[in-house]
Amino acid sequence: GQNIDQPTEMTATEGAIVQINCTYQTSGFNGLFWYQQHAGEAPTFLSYNVLDGLEEKGRFSSFLSRSKGYSYLLLKELQMKDSASYLCAVSGAGSYQLTFGKGTKLSVIP
Amino acid sequence: EADIYQTPRYLVIGTGKKITLECSQTMGHDKMYWYQQDPGMELHLIHYSYGVNSTEKGDLSSESTVSRIRTEHFPLTLESARPSHTSQYLCASSVDYGYTFGSGTRLTVV
C-alpha cells in the first residue's frame, strides 16, 4: 500500500517563500507529482520528480529524496492567486495510477 | 482550452435515479481514470482503464460501473443514486505518468 503525509494547512505572506513538505511510504516508486487545486476546481499539474534532486520551473520548484521518502514544493514570490490546495501524489511500481495525499491548503495573506 | 471534457458540470438528482457521468478526451490517451473527492478531502481512485475494453476497480469501493468501448470516451454510471453518492467526480487521462484532469462533475443526490 501507499501512505502520503503532508501538512493540512499553511499560511504565508504575499511576496514570501513557502515550502510544503510531503513524506510518503510506497511499495515501489515510479515518480512523485505535485498538483495545484483551487477550491471547486480540478487539479492542475505543477511538477514531476522521478530522480533525486531539485526541479525548477519558474516560481515553483520541487525536490525529491527517494531514500528518505521525502519531497517538498517550494513557492517563491508568493502571489494571492497561489492560495489553493497543493496535492502530493505518488505512482507506485508497476502502476500508472496516482495515490494522492490529503493536500495542503495554502492561504496567502497581504 | 480543455482537452478532457466532463458533463454535466453540476447535477442534482433524486434518490434511486440512474445517472451517467460523461468523460471524453481528444488527446488520444489510452489511460483514463475516475476519482471521487469529498470537499476538503483527498482524491480516491474508483475506476481506471488502460485501453479499450479494459476496466478495473480502484482502491475505493464504489457502486458505480464504467465502460470503455472507444479510446476517447470513459463514462461512469450509477444504477441507483443514493445520498451517500453526493461528491465531486473527477475524470483524468494520461499517456504514461501524470494526469490531465477534466473540470469535474459535482453530484448531489437528494
Side-chain angles (χ1 to χ4, degrees):
Chain A
Q2 293 165 324
N3 188 42
I4 300 172
D5 288 313
Q6 49 181 132
T8 303
E9 294 186 42
M10 298 182 72
T11 300
T13 304
E14 190 175 14
I17 299 172
V18 69
Q19 178 175 313
I20 302 174
N21 296 325
C22 171
T23 58
Y24 65 89
Q25 295 172 315
T26 181
S27 52
F29 180 80
N30 274 331
L32 187 140
F33 297 79
W34 285 96
Y35 284 82
Q36 180 189 62
Q37 186 177 27
H38 285 99
E41 298 183 9
T44 55
F45 171 80
L46 289 178
S47 69
Y48 169 52
N49 294 72
V50 64
L51 299 175
D52 291 352
L54 188 69
E55 294 281 342
E56 297 187 77
K57 189 184 294 185
R59 293 190 300 116
F60 291 31
S61 304
S62 57
F63 172 83
L64 174 67
S65 168
R66 288 172 296 170
S67 63
K68 295 181 179 178
Y70 169 69
S71 173
Y72 67 73
L73 180 70
L74 194 70
L75 292 76
K76 303 175 186 176
E77 301 170 12
L78 281 172
Q79 302 175 9
M80 300 300 290
K81 68 178 182 179
D82 297 330
S83 292
S85 287
Y86 291 85
L87 312 179
C88 176
V90 173
S91 178
S95 166
Y96 293 102
Q97 303 107 6
L98 294 182
T99 298
F100 286 83
K102 294 185 178 182
T104 298
K105 184 177 180 181
L106 174 66
S107 298
V108 180
I109 58 176
Chain B
E1 180 184 343
D3 296 315
I4 180 164
Y5 305 89
Q6 288 188 246
T7 57
R9 185 75 175 88
Y10 300 93
L11 179 63
V12 180
I13 198 165
T15 298
K17 298 292 186 183
K18 177 180 179 179
I19 55 170
T20 296
L21 309 184
E22 300 289 347
C23 177
S24 295
Q25 50 96 4
T26 59
M27 298 172 284
H29 290 172
D30 53 357
K31 300 171 185 63
M32 296 188 74
Y33 313 84
W34 277 103
Y35 281 81
Q36 185 174 341
Q37 185 182 31
D38 292 328
M41 302 297 289
E42 67 263 51
L43 284 76
H44 289 289
L45 180 67
I46 50 175
H47 296 282
Y48 63 97
S49 167
Y50 285 172
V52 171
N53 295 325
S54 160
T55 62
E56 300 286 345
K57 289 185 180 293
D59 302 325
L60 182 67
S61 175
S62 173
E63 294 161 342
S64 58
T65 59
V66 292
S67 63
R68 188 90 182 276
I69 58 175
R70 300 199 319 263
T71 298
E72 62 271 22
H73 194 214
F74 191 41
L76 181 144
T77 298
L78 281 165
E79 291 292 332
S80 179
R82 294 209 303 266
S84 61
H85 296 139
T86 294
S87 189
Q88 174 161 255
Y89 294 83
L90 289 162
C91 180
S93 70
S94 71
V95 174
D96 294 306
Y97 306 104
Y99 299 165
T100 300
F101 280 93
S103 298
T105 293
R106 189 169 297 278
L107 173 66
T108 302
V109 183
V110 298

